[in-house]
Amino acid sequence: EDQVTQSPEALRLQEGESSSLNCSYTVSGLRGLFWYRQDPGKGPEFLFTLYSAGEEKEKERLKATLTKKESFLHITAPKPEDSATYLCAVQAGGTGANNLFFGTGTRLTVIP
Amino acid sequence: GAVVSQHPSRVICKSGTSVKIECRSLDFQATTMFWYRQFPKQSLMLMATSNEGSKATYEQGVEKDKFLINHASLTLSTLTVTSAHPEDSSFYICSARVGRGFGETQYFGPGTRLLVL
């Protein structure tokens, strides 16, 4: 059964304090792993797609990496505006391959 | 990135009434759109896949007669919650698929907050 687990559930950081969010997954044939940012009361905003182990992508203070079992979202020197819930989703290669299967997210709070 | 809009952004209705939510792809055509539901502090749960010109595909446990989906054009999908009840109160989010197969991405709308009294 496809499974996505994100940790920690919540993370509080001081401004400038770098950290990483984890997304562990078990899927039958990974087609893609997606990271989204969701602000309260808003829809998810697309950040990255990763397709194969060893792949890395960066955007401003965010860097996503992928292994065969997990993905990390590294946040370097975060700012208060980085506060949001970060969602990880996987797309499997089996039946229902259209679907994105989401984790429950990590709620990040960056304190000034 | 691709832009997806939803209307209305929030709606309050009485129990027993029907509510229609629109999802539009603004700067691209989307043959496939998705409808999700999200309860407070929970993640997104896929309700159905909406395909232009054909019937929607519903996830297990989602009542197709209660959540009517129409994808009549390449830029518009609608979700109608029929005979809404308080337990249908939730945050409904649509997404549109860009690309096909390897490299495809889903872009999400801003969501619709439904409150059924």
Side-chain angles (χ1 to χ4, degrees), chain A residues 31 34 36 38 41-44 46 49 51 87 91 98-100 102-104, chain B residues 34 36 38 43-44 46 59 91 93 97 101-106 108-110:
Chain A
R31 293 181 65 183
F34 300 78
Y36 287 87
Q38 186 176 27
K42 302 286 181 63
F46 173 73
T49 310
Y51 296 103
L87 298 171
Q91 187 179 41
N98 290 326
N99 300 355
L100 288 183
F102 280 86
T104 53
Chain B
F34 304 88
Y36 293 82
Q38 186 177 34
S43 195
L44 283 73
L46 181 67
E59 294 300 299
F91 191 50
I93 313 174
R97 186 175 70 186
F102 185 83
E104 70 177 66
T105 301
Q106 287 186 32
F108 286 82

Side-chain angles (χ1 to χ4, degrees), chain A residues 15-80:
Chain A
E15 184 172 1
E17 179 187 1
S18 302
S19 188
S20 296
L21 284 54
N22 178 263
C23 172
S24 297
Y25 65 91
T26 305
V27 294
S28 52
L30 181 71
R31 293 181 65 183
L33 185 141
F34 300 78
W35 281 98
Y36 287 87
R37 168 193 170 129
Q38 186 176 27
D39 292 298
K42 302 286 181 63
E45 174 189 345
F46 173 73
L47 294 174
F48 304 108
T49 310
L50 301 167
Y51 296 103
S52 57
E55 189 175 0
E56 298 182 353
K57 287 191 177 174
E58 288 189 64
K59 180 180 179 181
E60 297 181 355
R61 294 178 291 282
L62 300 177
K63 178 181 176 182
T65 61
L66 180 66
T67 72
K68 290 186 177 180
K69 294 182 179 180
E70 58 192 349
S71 177
F72 290 95
L73 184 65
H74 307 276
I75 302 178
T76 302
K79 297 182 178 181

Side-chain angles (χ1 to χ4, degrees), chain A residues 11-18 77-80 108-112:
Chain A
L11 181 63
R12 289 172 65 89
L13 299 173
Q14 289 292 137
E15 184 172 1
E17 179 187 1
S18 302
K79 297 182 178 181
L108 174 66
T109 303
V110 182
I111 304 163

Side-chain angles (χ1 to χ4, degrees), chain B:
Chain B
V3 181
V4 178
S5 71
Q6 275 184 249
H7 178 79
S9 58
R10 61 179 62 224
V11 57
I12 301 174
C13 69
K14 293 182 179 180
S15 185
T17 60
S18 294
V19 174
K20 179 185 284 188
I21 303 170
E22 293 185 350
C23 177
R24 293 182 185 273
S25 56
L26 297 186
D27 51 358
F28 65 101
Q29 293 183 331
T31 55
T32 302
M33 293 183 173
F34 304 88
W35 287 96
Y36 293 82
R37 184 162 59 180
Q38 186 177 34
F39 291 104
K41 298 192 177 180
Q42 294 186 25
S43 195
L44 283 73
M45 295 299 295
L46 181 67
M47 298 174 66
T49 301
S50 171
N51 298 297
E52 188 268 335
S54 64
K55 290 184 179 181
T57 304
Y58 291 82
E59 294 300 299
Q60 192 171 11
V62 179
E63 299 175 56
K64 62 180 181 181
D65 295 329
K66 180 168 185 61
F67 299 100
L68 301 179
I69 292 173
N70 187 331
H71 194 154
S73 79
L74 288 171
T75 59
L76 173 64
S77 174
T78 60
L79 169 68
T80 301
V81 184
T82 62
S83 186
H85 288 93
E87 57 265 30
D88 298 323
S89 298
S90 188
F91 191 50
Y92 292 86
I93 313 174
C94 72
S95 71
R97 186 175 70 186
V98 175
R100 189 68 187 265
F102 185 83
E104 70 177 66
T105 301
Q106 287 186 32
Y107 290 91
F108 286 82
T112 296
R113 176 78 59 193
L114 170 64
L115 177 61
V116 184
L117 302 176

